[in-house]
Amino acid sequence: MTYDIEHLTYRDVAKTIDHSLLRPELDDAFVEAGCRLAAEYDVASVCVRPADVVRAAAILSGTDVAVGTTIGFPHGNHRTETKVFESVRAIGDGATELDMVIRIGALKSRRDAEVEADIAAVVNVAHAARAIVKVIFENAYLTDDEKIRACHLTEAAGGDFVKTSTGFGPSGATHDDLILMRANTAPHIGVKAAGGVRTLDALLEVMALGVTRVGATATKTMLDDFRARAAGGAPVAVGVPRAAEPPESDD
């Protein structure tokens, strides 16, 4: 598949981006500025830390930018009832998108029924409130067989997206993983790349693989580049994908 500026609108690109505001050292001013940037650039969502959801929801009220947050982050080993509590509280605070981490150890131990039940518990809470769930695998720790099983379990549990990584693990999204995840989920399940997508070219490359969301901190850089190239008429062709770069705490 080939993508070029002439065949993409600004909205096509902007609405693939979840602007990430998850690093632990971010202060209130940085988070607020990030939410305002997300509104200005009209991205799909911000993904903020749970304690920041109320603030983000207030800033983004009346915009077309969703507020997302993390559940069981970053390792996924919270008890299911803790993840459910986090989900209920996040939705009550104004989140409409939840990025949850699976129980990685349970998946590796082939306790698949427990993994599915854990995802389903969060999905049930979210869907009852018309929120969506993006299920994070943290692929750096998984074999291909485990990634495929995680795709099937996410779909069986009703998850809305499969997601490569937290952005805080040993590595982020790779093209091989994105191809694998797209091939092993139904078309209605979204695929989110997290970690390593920091340029417009990299974003277009993963879109060409079937990615529908990207966690990013380089939002302004990528979208300013799109506007500049679109205004100048310079085509951006995406053919054979390059390997994704290592992450810099991109969600």
Side-chain angles (χ1 to χ4, degrees):
M1 183 179 296
T2 299
Y3 276 67
D4 61 60
I5 294 295
E6 292 181 356
H7 296 93
L8 289 171
T9 67
Y10 175 86
R11 185 176 176 86
D12 290 334
V13 177
K15 289 302 183 183
T16 68
I17 296 175
D18 292 343
H19 186 57
S20 178
L21 296 165
L22 294 175
R23 296 198 308 272
E25 76 277 13
L26 303 184
D27 61 17
D28 291 352
F30 193 102
V31 172
E32 290 171 10
C35 290
R36 297 189 193 285
L37 182 147
E40 177 186 351
Y41 282 80
D42 194 26
V43 299
S45 80
V46 293
C47 192
V48 298
R49 301 165 302 196
D52 297 321
V53 170
V54 171
R55 179 181 296 108
I59 294 170
L60 293 167
S61 177
T63 74
D64 192 32
V65 178
V67 175
T69 194
T70 56
I71 305 296
F73 201 80
H75 301 304
N77 294 315
H78 300 56
R79 293 181 63 91
T80 298
E81 53 264 45
T82 302
K83 291 180 179 178
V84 168
F85 174 83
E86 286 185 300
S87 301
V88 171
R89 183 58 187 265
I91 291 166
D93 285 345
T96 59
E97 302 194 355
L98 307 178
D99 288 37
M100 71 163 289
V101 187
I102 64 166
R103 293 179 61 186
I104 299 166
L107 180 73
K108 295 189 73 66
S109 301
R110 303 194 72 87
R111 299 200 308 273
D112 289 11
E114 293 179 31
V115 175
E116 182 180 336
D118 185 62
I119 298 168
V122 173
V123 167
N124 290 341
V125 168
H127 286 184
R130 298 185 178 180
I132 67 171
V133 178
K134 290 167 261 177
V135 181
I136 305 171
F137 298 171
E138 201 67 288
N139 284 337
Y141 299 126
L142 305 180
T143 65
D144 283 353
D145 173 71
E146 290 162 348
K147 296 165 195 173
I148 291 169
R149 282 169 36 224
C151 286
H152 295 165
L153 294 170
T154 297
E155 188 167 339
D160 302 287
F161 282 78
V162 291
K163 178 177 171 182
T164 60
S165 37
T166 62
F168 290 85
S171 63
T174 69
H175 289 163
D176 286 346
D177 280 349
L178 295 169
I179 292 166
L180 183 75
M181 293 164 76
R182 181 69 282 167
N184 286 281
T185 49
H188 71 276
I189 305 291
V191 176
K192 179 173 175 179
V197 180
R198 301 185 204 99
T199 68
L200 177 60
D201 289 333
L203 174 56
L204 295 174
E205 286 171 356
V206 297
M207 289 174 66
L209 300 177
V211 165
T212 47
R213 290 284 188 96
V214 169
T217 55
T219 300
K220 183 179 188 302
T221 298
M222 293 190 292
L223 293 178
D224 283 349
D225 191 9
F226 180 89
R227 285 171 166 163
R229 296 196 205 184
V236 180
V238 180
V240 179
R242 299 191 303 266
E245 298 174 16
E248 288 182 352
S249 299
D250 300 323
D251 167 58

